[in-house]
Amino acid sequence: MICNHCKRELAEHSNFCYYCGAPQQVAPSAPPVQKRLMRSSVDSKIAGVCGGIAEYMDVDPTVVRLVWVLVSFFSGIVPGLIAYLVAWLVMPQASLPVPATVVVTPPPASAPNFTQPA
């Protein structure tokens, strides 16, 4: 990327020139993907509530489960269970991820066969 004012080389996606401070025209990027709070279909122990919260917050699900258990234990077990049940009913289930297709190419016919003894 070249500065429009001083014509020096800049890093891509710079908003201002490092040298002269002139504002730069940055091409609009794709709109950010909006994350939704959903129950995890991949990382679930009971209903996927803690796994879904962990995916939404980009943290380890074990940490979310530990915090949930500790907060439930110290605030009384019944409110924690009710909150989990409400989250189970309110949060939609995430769809299963689509597995990536693997393309396997056979070896060429002229390749040596090492599976059979000579």
Side-chain angles (χ1 to χ4, degrees), residues 30-117:
V33 176
Q34 185 177 5
K35 295 193 308 186
R36 292 188 60 197
L37 181 59
M38 302 177 85
R39 289 186 292 133
S40 177
S41 59
V42 177
D43 189 16
S44 69
K45 298 295 182 192
I46 298 173
V49 172
C50 291
I53 292 171
E55 288 175 7
Y56 184 78
M57 296 173 55
D58 289 329
V59 295
D60 188 18
T62 306
V63 172
V64 174
R65 290 183 184 110
L66 264 173
V67 168
W68 191 286
V69 166
L70 290 174
V71 168
S72 296
F73 182 74
F74 287 115
S75 66
I77 295 174
V78 174
L81 288 175
I82 291 174
Y84 193 89
L85 291 173
V86 167
W88 187 349
L89 294 173
V90 172
M91 290 172 62
Q93 178 75 31
S95 60
L96 288 171
V98 178
T101 57
V102 177
V103 178
V104 178
T105 58
S110 62
N113 188 357
F114 294 109
T115 59
Q116 296 176 355

